[in-house]
Amino acid sequence: MSQLKVYNSFSRQKEVFKSITPGHVGMYVCGPTVSGESHLGHARPYITFDVVHRYLKHLGYKVRYVRNITDAGHFEEEGREAEDKISKKALLEKLEPMELVQKYTNLFHWAMEQFNTIPPSIEPTATGHIVEQIEMIKQIIEAGYAYEANGSVYFDVKKYAANYDYGKLSGRVIDDLLETTRELEGQEEKKDRADFALWKNAAPEHIMRWQSPWAVGYPGWHIECSAMATKYLGAQFDIHGGGMDLLFPHHESEIAQSTICNHIAPVRYWIHNNMITINGRKMGKSYNNVIKLTELFSGDHPLLEKAFHPMTTRFFILQTHYRSTLDFSNDALVAAEKGLKRLWDAYEKLRVMSYEFREGTLDEELDSKIAKLLNEFEEFMNDDFSTAKVMANMFEIVSTINSMKDKTIPVSAISKETFELLQSSFKTWLEDILGLTSFSEADSTKLQGVMQLLIDIRKEAKTKKDFATSDKIRNQLTELGITLKDEKGGDMSWSIE
RNA sequence: GGUCCUUUGGCCGAGUGGCUAGGCAAAGCUCUGCAAAAGCUUCUACAGCGGUUCGAAUCCGCUAGGGACCUCCA
């Protein structure tokens, strides 16, 4: 069996994954800022790391998966007006800040459920960990790597860089950072431009404020992840994930803070997913090109010709390697939808298929081909989570499954062992690891009974060449959104659109 | 301006130096009361130029396009 290799952003190469504590994995993923609705771009990391999570569990690890909720306002634009995102939005929507946070948290959870992601083991909120954050800031000040100015506290990047490697993760050269020519207002409190806030003094009009040793205010953005990751995963943990756009300054700063507090590099493997683009451009608030998840699911967006099922989105995302950009378009999603349907239909056929041995039908070439394709699943996944390749193999097998169903080739063209491996592998990989699930409402037993009745009637009508009746059944079902298909050998199958 | 990434067939996308990824679309055929689905077949591409090599989509250089980060950002 091959070993799991992951691409570590820190070393910029694939490394064999070895957890700190054998049998256990600690994983932290940067969660959403719940000051607004999640969009398609946000879906990517959560689906990507859901598969990572599922795969680690499949490998037998006990995983503690921590994903935070950022519900404390950090700066909209550091230095400019020190605006509190959440307070600002709350005013607009005339909600209590916590009411707003709750609303978007609920919406986020709902979307994650739609995507069939497994909830994290711990989902800590920033507001619930103000004490821990203040403690951490105190430690950094005591260590001499932070200073107070007008009730705000800043991290001393220059000093840190003199003793540690600041900028390694994001490939930044510290001198360039220190000498940046960019003019930002309100920076006079900082000793240096590269310094970042740990605590921010907040004016009374800010609704979300907390008492602290320095001034009433709120924590800097980076400190929450350092504090919560340390609390729940320890000074050093295995995996830290997030979007590539968080590499700098967020994760770079996290490393600096945690290293000073805990005297050890916080993370063994940094894993970053690439962005979803739209017309080649990153989907993001700043570009005003986002498609919200609710819009995606309802089809209510100028760029969408129809609604797309969450499973289509999940499939679409997993069909690309997580470190490549993924370009969104209506057509690309339509293609994904059709592909997923084909794959899932084949899987459902496979599930109810049983092995019938027939002498002399074994096709050894096919048998070993199928076995090889199945065994490669793990190899591909171990190679930095190559879900796209796993799926490509599945599609290669789909043809064979369909042929068996159509009886073009006998089931015993492959050996019993291979057939059983095929059934179990598809279940494990499609459902448990890739996390795909049925996207139809066809699961109700009552509905299945009704459908069986209609199918029986239609079969009788067809036998009697009463095509008026048989067509009526099929056509009216079509109008209801249920497709009835005649199979080879007189059987019928149905699916809900 | 700095740092880094990227450029694959009609579209989306995988690609670890030698072996047709895969999906969608398209065309033809088979099956079929009709339809739908399915199966089979066809479609061999790697931005351009140069280099390394027996051999390059894959390594190196240059040129051109696109993008990300440097500021909130998944």
Side-chain angles (χ1 to χ4, degrees):
Chain A
M1 183 188 124
S2 61
Q3 289 176 295
L4 173 62
K5 290 200 205 72
V6 303
Y7 182 88
N8 189 346
S9 305
F10 194 76
S11 64
R12 286 157 204 259
Q13 58 190 17
K14 285 182 197 168
E15 297 175 6
V16 171
F17 179 77
K18 206 161 170 279
S19 67
I20 296 167
T21 310
H24 292 257
V25 172
M27 175 162 88
Y28 188 94
V29 174
C30 286
T33 301
V34 284
S35 60
E37 251 193 88
S38 297
H39 58 76
L40 179 58
H42 297 123
R44 194 166 192 192
Y46 306 130
I47 290 174
T48 299
F49 289 103
D50 182 54
V51 172
V52 170
H53 179 202
R54 285 165 178 271
Y55 190 58
L56 289 168
K57 291 213 306 197
H58 169 77
L59 292 178
Y61 289 107
K62 197 166 185 309
V63 183
R64 179 176 287 175
Y65 175 22
V66 180
R67 187 181 64 205
N68 63 295
I69 295 275
T70 298
D71 57 351
H74 52 78
F75 324 121
E76 183 111 65
E77 238 179 45
E78 192 177 357
R80 187 173 288 179
E81 267 180 274
E83 277 176 338
D84 182 318
K85 254 192 206 174
I86 287 166
S87 304
K88 192 185 166 196
K89 192 79 184 276
L91 224 74
L92 255 149
E93 300 195 8
K94 294 197 173 64
L95 293 170
E96 273 294 318
M98 273 304 157
E99 205 174 352
L100 179 99
V101 157
Q102 190 67 58
K103 175 182 160 186
Y104 290 119
T105 301
N106 291 346
L107 206 52
F108 173 73
H109 284 153
W110 170 78
M112 289 305 108
E113 208 173 297
Q114 297 299 300
F115 285 131
N116 195 32
T117 61
I118 298 175
S121 335
I122 302 175
E123 193 172 48
T125 60
T127 55
H129 295 76
I130 299 294
V131 173
E132 287 83 352
Q133 295 180 70
I134 289 174
E135 276 313 303
M136 204 157 190
I137 297 168
K138 278 191 198 160
Q139 284 181 46
I140 298 172
I141 294 174
E142 275 162 33
Y145 284 90
Y147 55 90
E148 187 190 339
N150 300 327
S152 293
V153 181
Y154 294 97
F155 190 90
D156 191 336
V157 170
K158 202 172 189 172
K159 179 166 182 188
Y160 178 82
N163 301 312
Y164 301 90
D165 200 352
Y166 188 81
K168 180 167 188 321
L169 176 70
S170 54
R172 227 121 299 220
V173 179
I174 183 67
D175 291 340
D176 293 348
L177 286 174
L178 295 174
E179 284 165 25
T180 176
T181 53
R182 175 180 284 274
E183 282 302 328
L184 288 172
E185 294 166 45
Q187 296 252 51
E188 56 282 350
E189 287 178 0
K190 292 185 185 179
K191 284 205 283 193
D192 203 284
R193 281 203 160 77
D195 294 351
F196 55 87
L198 295 172
W199 188 263
K200 200 72 183 163
N201 185 354
E205 59 264 31
H206 281 262
I207 314 167
M208 293 186 104
R209 315 194 307 155
W210 291 267
Q211 197 57 249
S212 83
W214 313 286
V216 177
Y218 53 92
W221 174 37
H222 316 306
I223 195 73
E224 64 172 89
C225 289
S226 286
M228 296 189 284
T230 303
K231 175 162 183 177
Y232 298 112
L233 297 171
Q236 192 182 48
F237 53 97
D238 298 298
I239 294 174
H240 189 128
M244 273 184 189
D245 51 354
L246 297 180
L247 270 165
F248 190 89
H250 187 53
H251 291 158
E252 197 70 62
S253 303
E254 249 186 271
I255 293 177
Q257 296 161 348
S258 294
T259 302
I260 292 305
C261 287
N262 302 327
H263 317 289
I264 186 168
V267 176
R268 294 279 286 270
Y269 304 91
W270 284 93
I271 302 180
H272 290 94
N273 64 276
N274 214 319
M275 302 292 106
I276 287 184
T277 59
I278 185 158
N279 295 321
R281 185 115 224 203
K282 173 184 170 184
M283 186 181 285
K285 285 191 271 280
S286 347
Y287 298 117
N288 245 323
N289 61 356
V290 301
I291 296 176
K292 293 177 189 163
L293 294 176
T294 48
E295 294 169 336
L296 188 68
F297 299 163
S298 68
D300 187 17
H301 189 278
L303 289 173
L304 300 174
E305 282 165 21
K306 62 188 287 292
F308 289 101
H309 195 279
M311 276 307 117
T312 301
T313 311
R314 185 172 178 117
F315 176 85
F316 173 66
I317 286 172
L318 295 178
Q319 227 182 350
T320 305
H321 188 86
Y322 75 92
R323 278 189 291 112
S324 300
T325 54
L326 172 58
D327 200 50
F328 169 85
S329 69
N330 186 75
D331 290 352
L333 227 52
V334 167
E337 182 178 67
K338 289 185 180 168
L340 173 60
K341 186 174 187 312
R342 198 163 101 91
L343 181 61
W344 199 264
D345 282 352
Y347 172 53
E348 292 196 325
K349 287 177 201 166
L350 176 68
R351 267 201 304 209
V352 297
M353 220 180 268
S354 51
Y355 193 79
E356 295 162 42
F357 179 75
R358 268 173 49 202
E359 192 72 43
T361 52
L362 182 68
D363 179 344
E364 283 184 36
E365 198 182 321
L366 182 69
D367 184 63
S368 60
K369 184 189 156 195
I370 298 291
K372 178 172 177 282
L373 288 168
L374 292 172
N375 288 321
E376 278 174 342
F377 287 177
E378 185 164 286
E379 195 184 307
F380 292 155
M381 202 62 179
N382 277 342
D383 185 16
D384 197 27
F385 311 106
S386 295
T387 52
K389 290 173 107 177
V390 171
M391 287 158 102
N393 272 21
M394 285 179 172
F395 274 106
E396 282 206 60
I397 297 170
V398 162
S399 304
T400 305
I401 295 173
N402 284 328
S403 296
M404 285 174 174
K405 170 72 185 167
D406 287 349
K407 305 211 183 334
T408 318
I409 58 173
V411 179
S412 56
I414 60 175
S415 69
K416 191 155 197 285
E417 294 72 41
T418 307
F419 181 78
E420 279 166 1
L421 181 67
L422 177 61
Q423 281 189 319
S424 64
S425 292
F426 261 62
K427 181 175 182 353
T428 303
W429 286 84
L430 216 46
E431 293 202 55
D432 301 346
I433 296 173
L434 296 179
L436 293 169
T437 184
S438 174
F439 45 98
S440 79
E441 306 125 63
D443 291 335
S444 142
T445 48
K446 277 180 191 159
L447 180 60
Q448 284 179 358
V450 171
M451 285 305 299
Q452 194 52 52
L453 178 66
L454 286 169
I455 285 172
D456 289 345
I457 296 173
R458 185 160 180 273
K459 275 185 186 168
E460 281 175 32
K462 279 187 66 171
T463 314
K464 286 185 265 176
K465 300 233 185 275
D466 176 9
F467 296 125
T469 303
S470 68
D471 284 354
K472 184 179 179 186
I473 291 172
R474 190 176 61 196
N475 294 341
Q476 298 212 349
L477 283 172
T478 306
E479 277 174 36
L480 291 169
I482 300 176
T483 311
L484 201 60
K485 288 176 284 191
D486 290 349
E487 303 282 339
K488 290 203 170 63
D491 282 341
M492 292 175 201
S493 67
W494 58 281
S495 60
I496 298 180
E497 291 310 302

